[in-house]
Amino acid sequence: MKTRVLATLGALTVAACDDKPAATRIQPPPVVRQAPVETRPFEDGYDVGYALALTQATREAKVPKAEDVAPLAREQAAADPARTERWQRGFVDGYVDGFRKVVTGQK
């Protein structure tokens, strides 16, 4: 009988001391406050370049290289300070893709 009482008392003592060391506790990730980042410039530039290429390209034309379109992108971006370098890269990619679509006759 004494052994049962001692075993029960020992089990209750161990169960009551279930506190884990600080190193093994799971910590929630820290909350980071950050200003929103503008992620649309490339896509906006791509859309403008693509639309412009569809109006300027012809079926017999040669597809321009990205280096040849860069001055046009800078010209298009000059009027708006929000049109950054990323916007210009998107414009060049969109212009070349749109031009290629017209020249190759893709749908």
Side-chain angles (χ1 to χ4, degrees), residues 26-41:
I26 297 174
Q27 297 290 328
V31 176
V32 178
R33 306 254 183 242
Q34 188 174 13
V37 178
E38 183 63 41
T39 59
R40 294 279 313 159

Side-chain angles (χ1 to χ4, degrees), residues 9-65:
L9 186 60
L12 288 173
T13 306
V14 171
C17 297
D18 194 17
D19 191 28
K20 296 180 182 176
T24 60
R25 289 187 198 135
I26 297 174
Q27 297 290 328
V31 176
V32 178
R33 306 254 183 242
Q34 188 174 13
V37 178
E38 183 63 41
T39 59
R40 294 279 313 159
F42 184 88
E43 291 86 0
D44 292 342
Y46 185 93
D47 293 340
V48 171
Y50 190 84
L52 184 62
L54 293 179
T55 63
Q56 293 182 348
T58 60
R59 293 272 297 163
E60 302 83 31
K62 184 179 174 186
V63 177
K65 295 182 181 178

